[in-house]
């Protein structure tokens, strides 16, 4: 069954605002990853957070992981129009060979 | 240099035809994947190969046959195409499977008429 479920499904904000997307999953994991997909393109890796980590930063991105609640959040600070894309979380299902992706959050940043 | 490349980018064909999509990665990765993304953007793994050996075969009709001639290539052949096969197919690669970042190709948009 599908592991990650992103929330909200769609998010529209103004440039300069922060965007927060959430991901919930069902089983134990070794790591959780966030990817971005621009329209008509392939997915691009953003951040990988391991199950023993609680927070990770990369530039304007901040990812948190709460394994007790089986949830993660992706925060994009000071958003830009170029951040407009779909964002997916993916989990490894606790050591399975595959990543399972959620349905994604479609983020629109209005200039 | 493109890390993961796929050809063709677009494929329009009639129902019942056989078609192939090619994928190549120049990252030196051991593991390669095929994913299918449907019209609702849901991305689902189809196959995974590690060093030319099949390690994941999800519930995919056997009209779909992956072939890995070497570690850098993973091709997807589809027989007797059906309307429901219309989707975007992504190839990806990673160093060590689900522990690592996956690098995606640009996708092949398949339309079956």
């Amino acid at each position: 069954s599908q592991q990650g479920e992103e929330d909200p499904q769609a998010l529209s904000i103004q440039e300069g605002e922060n965007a927060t997307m959430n991901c919930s999953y069902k089983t134990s994991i070794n790591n959780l990853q966030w990817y971005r997909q621009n329209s008509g393109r392939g997915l691009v890796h953003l951040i990988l957070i391991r199950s023993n980590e609680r927070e990770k930063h990369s530039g304007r991105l901040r990812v948190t992981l709460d394994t007790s609640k089986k949830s993660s959040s992706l925060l994009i600070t000071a958003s830009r129009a170029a951040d407009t894309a779909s964002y997916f979380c993916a989990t490894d299902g606790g050591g399975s060979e595959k990543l399972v992706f959620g349905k994604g959050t479609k983020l629109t940043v209005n200039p | 240099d493109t890390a993961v490349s796929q050809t063709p980018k677009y494929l329009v064909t009639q129902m019942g035809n056989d078609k192939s999509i090619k994928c190549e990665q120049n990252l030196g990765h051991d593991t390669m994947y095929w994913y299918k993304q449907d019209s609702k953007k849901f991305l689902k793994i189809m196959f995974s190969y590690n060093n030319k050996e099949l390690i994941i075969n999800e519930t995919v009709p056997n009209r779909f046959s992956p072939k890995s001639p070497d570690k850098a290539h993973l091709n997807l052949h589809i027989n007797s195409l059906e309307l429901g096969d219309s989707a975007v197919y992504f190839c990806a690669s990673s160093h060590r499977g689900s522990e690592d970042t996956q690098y995606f190709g640009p996708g092949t948009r398949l339309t079956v008429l």
Side-chain angles (χ1 to χ4, degrees):
Chain A
S1 64
Q2 184 178 327
Q3 280 269 37
E5 291 278 353
E6 288 91 341
D7 167 53
Q9 288 189 329
L11 180 61
S12 182
I13 60 173
Q14 295 300 122
E15 217 166 19
E17 293 179 341
N18 295 342
T20 299
M21 288 158 269
N22 301 299
C23 169
S24 59
Y25 57 92
K26 293 176 182 172
T27 64
S28 63
I29 61 170
N30 287 335
N31 71 67
L32 183 145
Q33 303 184 38
W34 283 92
Y35 288 80
R36 183 187 75 226
Q37 184 180 30
N38 289 82
S39 181
R41 301 284 187 95
L43 279 74
V44 174
H45 180 259
L46 296 176
I47 286 186
L48 182 153
I49 186 165
R50 302 203 183 276
S51 60
N52 60 355
E53 297 175 308
R54 290 296 166 258
E55 191 170 307
K56 211 160 180 181
H57 296 254
S58 175
R60 294 183 296 112
L61 306 181
R62 173 180 166 243
V63 167
T64 61
L65 178 64
D66 186 335
T67 52
S68 67
K69 294 181 180 176
K70 292 187 169 60
S71 68
S72 173
S73 67
L74 170 66
L75 168 67
I76 304 174
T77 59
S79 64
R80 305 167 182 167
D83 295 328
T84 294
S86 291
Y87 292 82
F88 295 86
C89 69
T91 55
D92 69 342
S96 73
E97 294 289 340
K98 62 182 181 181
L99 284 184
V100 179
F101 285 81
K103 292 181 180 177
T105 292
K106 185 169 183 180
L107 173 67
T108 302
V109 181
N110 301 299
Chain B
D1 283 345
T2 305
V4 182
S5 59
Q6 292 177 232
T7 54
K9 189 166 173 61
Y10 299 96
L11 190 50
V12 181
T13 188
Q14 298 287 332
M15 218 163 47
N17 284 350
D18 303 338
K19 290 292 178 187
S20 291
I21 307 172
K22 295 186 176 182
C23 177
E24 176 181 2
Q25 54 96 2
N26 62 8
L27 298 166
H29 287 162
D30 291 333
T31 309
M32 295 186 72
Y33 311 83
W34 277 109
Y35 288 90
K36 179 180 180 181
Q37 188 173 45
D38 63 23
S39 58
K40 295 182 179 177
K41 303 296 184 189
F42 181 45
L43 193 71
K44 192 170 188 324
I45 190 165
M46 300 172 69
F47 301 103
S48 172
Y49 270 71
N50 183 274
N51 269 319
K52 301 194 299 174
E53 282 191 34
L54 180 67
I55 56 171
I56 293 174
N57 183 348
E58 290 292 285
T59 312
V60 176
N62 53 18
R63 298 182 295 104
F64 290 79
S65 52
K67 284 189 173 50
S68 182
D70 55 58
K71 206 171 78 161
H73 294 85
L74 180 61
N75 303 323
L76 184 65
H77 189 75
I78 315 170
N79 289 329
S80 304
L81 278 154
E82 300 177 357
L83 294 177
D85 298 332
S86 294
V88 182
Y89 292 84
F90 287 99
C91 177
S93 73
S94 70
H95 181 47
R96 289 175 305 176
S98 63
E99 301 171 43
D100 287 331
T101 298
Q102 294 193 10
Y103 293 81
F104 282 77
T108 295
R109 181 173 292 276
L110 171 65
T111 303
V112 182
L113 303 174

